[in-house]
Amino acid sequence: VALGGGVVGDLSGFTAATYMRGVPFVQVPTTVLAMVDSSIGGKTGIDAPAGKNLIGAFWQPVAVFADTDVIKTLPKRELRNGLSESIKMGICLDLPLYELMETQAEKLVEGDIELLTEVIGNSMALKGDVVTRDEREGDLRSVLNFGHTVGHGIEALVQDKPDALLHGECVAIGMVKEAEIARAMGFCTSALVGRLSRCIAAFGLPRDMPVGVSVDASLDKMEL
């Protein structure tokens, strides 16, 4: 039983995948990030010095149990950290969810359980649907990587620092930067980039590259 956040879930899942060539396990996520993202989909693994998630396996849990009462114990930074992934789900897959988050950002960050339950439930359902149709990331599942290519590059560079950014914070920066790249390539409008940036800011999430993190260093990590 993986009772905890994303690190606990990933390590437990990877252990379950490798012990005796695979044993069943259950995910019981206790953070918003783990509820909406890492507990669903069967991606398990651990980081290596060269980069994130380089050692792992696809191993599906037999069940995922998310109790929103535990959200009341989380600091606001952890709420914002997890809701970054829900912003991603909304803008990529579900406009009504995204619009809800745009208009209710303050209440969500303040811990409105009814709204959080709706957002978390919708996010879990969206990811579950994508994973059901494309478990091994052959095509559709790659949409869930929005913000993560750049975000993982940043995260790999700052994760050992005392003031390290959290995963969802790195993804927030990654979403803005990837949207800016898409705009430069003609795939989206300035209006869309601005709208996304304002939504991320409304949740108190970062949008700019961290001080001391260069583009070249990030690109080196992104190549892995």
Side-chain angles (χ1 to χ4, degrees):
V1 176
L3 174 64
V7 173
V8 171
D10 274 11
L11 181 57
S12 300
F14 181 57
T15 302
T18 53
Y19 181 67
M20 295 180 63
R21 298 189 177 90
V23 296
F25 84 113
V26 173
Q27 290 271 20
V28 186
T30 59
T31 64
V32 176
L33 182 66
M35 289 178 187
V36 303
D37 186 51
S38 61
S39 67
I40 299 171
K43 279 187 177 181
T44 70
I46 56 177
D47 297 342
K52 284 185 61 61
N53 300 324
L54 295 182
I55 304 168
F58 284 95
W59 193 252
Q60 298 293 347
V62 295
V64 179
F65 297 100
D67 184 352
T68 52
D69 277 347
V70 302
I71 293 172
K72 299 172 185 176
T73 69
L74 299 175
K76 285 193 173 84
R77 188 182 181 192
E78 280 293 343
L79 283 179
R80 295 193 294 265
N81 181 49
L83 289 170
S84 175
E85 292 281 2
S86 290
I87 293 172
K88 175 201 73 178
M89 299 285 188
I91 197 167
C92 291
L93 298 167
D94 189 338
L95 183 58
L97 172 61
Y98 184 66
E99 291 173 339
L100 173 67
M101 297 191 72
E102 281 184 310
T103 58
Q104 302 296 329
E106 184 175 355
K107 288 185 177 180
L108 286 164
V109 173
E110 288 300 319
D112 186 303
I113 290 297
E114 185 175 342
L115 277 172
L116 283 167
T117 300
E118 181 178 357
V119 168
I120 290 169
N122 287 344
S123 300
M124 294 176 75
L126 286 167
K127 183 163 186 183
D129 178 62
V130 169
V131 171
T132 298
R133 290 190 279 162
D134 180 19
E135 180 184 11
R136 296 300 181 99
E137 205 169 296
D139 183 18
L140 176 63
R141 188 168 178 170
S142 61
V143 73
L144 301 177
N145 290 333
F146 177 52
H148 286 66
T149 302
V150 172
H152 278 172
I154 296 169
E155 193 172 2
L157 293 168
V158 303
Q159 61 185 353
D160 294 327
K161 296 183 178 180
D163 56 348
L165 294 172
L166 301 175
H167 173 75
E169 294 169 339
C170 293
V171 169
I173 299 170
M175 285 192 286
V176 173
K177 297 309 174 186
E178 289 175 22
E180 290 173 350
I181 293 169
R183 176 182 62 191
M185 296 176 68
F187 292 120
C188 72
T189 65
S190 293
L192 188 149
V193 176
R195 182 178 178 183
L196 173 61
S197 182
R198 288 190 296 274
C199 181
I200 286 171
F203 282 87
L205 291 162
R207 297 175 290 176
D208 300 319
M209 294 289 287
V211 175
V213 174
S214 70
V215 172
D216 287 342
S218 298
L219 287 171
D220 285 343
K221 293 296 184 181
M222 288 158 53
E223 288 177 353
L224 295 173

